């Protein structure tokens, strides 16, 4: 019976050291959230509605937009709910769901960025075999694989966290349920689990980052072999948006999970960047630096009822 939790709900205290600023943060975060949803939805609709964009690159970008809609939705609605003056309580099951879906969506995006780097590697290094290598079947397998392994990682991390007994304090010094803050509330020694979680959370992004780095090393080498200055410019332009998005995604992960000494206020600030700002910026990054997306988006906004067959 000692392993059974007696805590039935947790209290989210929000971002540390921000008492009295709830109204300002509510307006700010609501604006971020709305822009995130609208931006990714527009990118999604622009890609779906244009047959010219029905290629592997945009297929993966479409999936990224879907996950960028759901990723901030894990923590933002509850945060906005209590910032507007409502209850800060979250049920035990709700806390489990928050942690699971946060890491499921986050890990899947991590794998997805790796797959997108591989797609750019094939497109630039093997352009004549691109359609054969990145066939519809391969794309479907890669897309399914990212979600499958993201789910496995999330199940492992969630089980690791909530197999601990929670029988004492239930105040979460954060704005959503995440591994570091939940381990602080456990009524057991968590040092071994913290090490396992640290290795697990750190090893997966590091492995993906090394694969991305390998892909882009080959891409840069291939681009430098292009004789045409215009060809090099177009190739670099195609990859620059992806590289920018990768940096925005990985920097918060490193700052939050791989620092030896945690800082609640810094972690919360970086998480806001990771949960709200980065998903909001991704549509701008991919649309402003991509003429095909801008063209399709422009057509969609001026004639949203058109069908793909009309292009």
């Amino acid at each position: 019976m000692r392993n059974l939790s007696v805590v039935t709900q947790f209290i989210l205290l929000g971002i540390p050291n921000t008492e009295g600023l709830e109204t300002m943060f509510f307006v700010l975060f609501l604006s971020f959230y709305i822009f995130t949803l609208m931006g990714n939805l527009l990118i999604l609709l622009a890609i779906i509605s244009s047959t010219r964009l029905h290629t592997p690159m945009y297929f993966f970008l479409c999936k990224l937009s879907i996950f960028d809609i759901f990723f901030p939705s894990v923590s933002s609605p509850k945060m906005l709910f209590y910032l507007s003056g409502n209850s800060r309580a979250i049920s035990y099951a709700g806390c489990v769901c928050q942690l699971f879906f946060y890491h499921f969506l986050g890990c899947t995006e991590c794998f997805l960025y790796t797959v997108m780097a591989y797609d750019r590697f094939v497109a630039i290094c093997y352009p004549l075999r691109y359609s054969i290598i990145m066939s519809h079947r391969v794309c479907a397998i890669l897309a399914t694989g990212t979600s499958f392994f993201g789910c496995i990682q999330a199940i492992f991390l969630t089980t690791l966290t909530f197999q601990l007994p929670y029988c004492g304090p239930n105040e979460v010094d954060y704005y959503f349920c995440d591994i570091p803050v939940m381990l602080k509330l456990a009524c057991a020694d968590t040092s071994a689990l913290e090490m396992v979680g640290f290795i697990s959370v750190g090893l997966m992004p590091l492995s993906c980052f090394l694969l991305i780095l390998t892909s882009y090393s080959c891409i840069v080498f291939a681009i430098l072999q292009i004789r045409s200055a215009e060809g090099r410019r177009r190739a670099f332009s195609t990859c620059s948006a992806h590289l920018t998005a990768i940096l925005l995604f990985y920097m918060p992960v490193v700052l939050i999970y791989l620092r030896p000494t945690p800082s609640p206020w810094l972690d919360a600030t970086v998480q806001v960047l990771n949960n709200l700002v980065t998903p909001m910026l991704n549509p701008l990054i991919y649309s402003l630096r991509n003429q095909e997306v801008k063209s399709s988006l422009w057509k969609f906004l001026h004639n949203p009822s058109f069908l793909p067959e009309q292009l």
Side-chain angles (χ1 to χ4, degrees), residues 24 33 37 73 92 95 115 152 160 171 181 225 235 239 244 272 283 305:
M24 184 189 73
Y33 187 50
L37 298 182
S73 299
Y92 185 92
C95 198
V115 169
I152 295 297
L160 187 73
E171 292 186 340
V181 289
Q225 306 304 309
C239 298
T244 303
V272 169
S305 62

Side-chain angles (χ1 to χ4, degrees), residues 40 81 92 100 130 200 232 287 295:
N40 283 287
F81 182 75
Y92 185 92
F100 170 79
Y130 178 69
S200 177
R232 288 196 299 270
S287 62
S295 175

Side-chain angles (χ1 to χ4, degrees), residues 16 53 59-60 72 77 109 130 200 210 215 223 259 269 276 305:
L53 301 184
F59 169 71
F60 294 124
E109 282 204 20
Y130 178 69
S200 177
L210 290 176
S215 295
I223 290 175
R259 286 187 301 108
T269 304
L276 282 171
S305 62

Side-chain angles (χ1 to χ4, degrees), residues 146-162:
T146 58
S147 296
F148 175 76
F149 288 109
C151 184
I152 295 297
Q153 176 81 350
I155 290 174
F156 171 72
L157 294 174
T158 305
T159 304
L160 187 73
T161 304
F162 286 98

Side-chain angles (χ1 to χ4, degrees), residues 36 40 68 109 113 245 248-249 252 272-283 285:
T36 298
N40 283 287
D68 275 344
E109 282 204 20
Y113 279 121
L248 286 173
F249 178 82
V272 169
L273 172 69
N274 190 39
N275 289 7
L276 282 171
V277 179
T278 299
M280 180 183 68
L281 292 178
N282 275 347
I285 293 170

Side-chain angles (χ1 to χ4, degrees), residues 70-140:
F70 285 107
F71 187 57
S73 299
V74 172
S75 58
S76 297
K78 179 62 181 177
M79 177 177 63
L80 293 171
F81 182 75
Y82 68 68
L83 283 176
S84 62
N86 293 286
S87 173
R88 293 175 176 266
I90 182 172
S91 67
Y92 185 92
C95 198
V96 173
C97 289
Q98 265 198 346
L99 192 144
F100 170 79
F101 282 108
Y102 174 77
H103 286 279
F104 165 60
L105 295 169
C107 291
T108 302
E109 282 204 20
C110 190
F111 293 131
L112 188 58
Y113 279 121
T114 309
V115 169
M116 292 172 75
Y118 173 71
D119 171 71
R120 291 300 83 208
F121 162 73
V122 175
I124 293 174
C125 298
Y126 302 97
L128 299 180
R129 298 175 56 196
Y130 178 69
S131 59
I132 298 174
I133 297 174
M134 299 300 293
S135 63
H136 292 301
R137 181 172 176 272
V138 170
C139 290

Side-chain angles (χ1 to χ4, degrees), residues 190-248:
T190 62
S191 54
L193 294 177
E194 285 176 3
M195 182 57 66
V196 173
F198 178 83
I199 294 173
S200 177
V201 173
L203 188 60
M204 184 275 294
L206 179 61
S207 301
C208 291
F209 185 75
L210 290 176
L211 289 173
I212 292 170
L213 191 62
T214 302
S215 295
Y216 273 96
S217 297
C218 297
I219 288 171
V220 170
F221 180 77
I223 290 175
L224 294 176
Q225 306 304 309
I226 300 175
R227 296 182 179 180
S228 166
E230 177 62 20
R232 288 196 299 270
R233 188 196 65 79
R234 290 186 63 184
F236 273 120
S237 178
T238 302
C239 298
S240 61
H242 186 217
L243 281 172
T244 303
I246 287 171
L247 289 175
L248 286 173

